[in-house]
């Protein structure tokens, strides 16, 4: 199977695991969804002078684009992993690499846009970020390796 296809499938599996872990965290701790993806979309739309509409239409498009950016990041991280790792990696190395790729792919652009600043996060925010990304790493690695 081609590296790109394996990356796409592994990224989809990892992103599903990340979203599931995030929603379980929201359920258990009764916390709201992160506003960071929405803020990033708003900043990007301002930077690119893109009109998302008015009122509910803009809010709905902002929400959708924030979610789609998350899927693109998850799929992109696994495709990058596939391209960069030509040979089989041990599970700790592979899981860590995928976790770091996904976290970096998410947090670096959000930080550069000014939507978040990880230096100011409390421990609970780090847990809310690391645990789902680790779930991503485990699921993406397992999916990728099962297709080898």
């Amino acid at each position: 199977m081609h590296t790109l296809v394996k990356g796409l499938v592994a990224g989809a599996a990892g992103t599903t695991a990340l979203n599931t872990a995030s929603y379980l965290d929201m359920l258990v701790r009764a916390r709201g969804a992160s506003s960071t993806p929405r803020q990033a979309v708003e900043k990007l739309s301002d930077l690119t002078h893109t009109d998302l509409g008015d009122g509910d239409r803009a809010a709905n498009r902002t929400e959708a684009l924030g979610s789609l950016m998350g899927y693109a990041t998850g799929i992109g991280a696994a495709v990058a992993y596939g391209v960069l790792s030509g040979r089989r990696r041990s599970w700790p190395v592979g899981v860590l690499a995928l976790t770091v790729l996904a976290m970096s792919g998410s947090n670096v652009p959000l930080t550069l846009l000014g939507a978040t600043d990880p230096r100011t996060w409390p421990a609970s925010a780090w847990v809310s970020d690391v645990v789902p990304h680790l779930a991503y790493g485990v699921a993406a690695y397992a999916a990728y390796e099962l297709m080898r």
Side-chain angles (χ1 to χ4, degrees), residues 38-116:
R38 178 183 47 75
Q39 292 170 2
V41 170
E42 289 168 352
K43 288 180 182 279
L44 281 171
S45 112
D46 287 344
L47 285 170
T48 60
H49 307 289
T50 303
D51 181 15
L52 297 177
D54 295 318
D56 286 345
R57 291 173 65 91
N60 293 339
R61 285 183 176 136
T62 300
E63 186 76 25
L65 284 168
S67 294
L68 289 170
M69 285 180 359
Y71 283 102
T73 300
I75 290 168
V79 169
Y81 172 81
V83 169
L84 296 173
S85 72
R87 62 182 175 84
R88 184 174 296 248
R89 303 281 179 217
S90 67
W91 75 266
V93 171
V95 168
L96 180 63
L98 281 155
T99 299
V100 168
L101 282 168
M103 282 187 73
S104 298
S106 172
N107 291 326
V108 168
L110 294 173
T111 301
L112 292 174
L113 283 169
T116 190

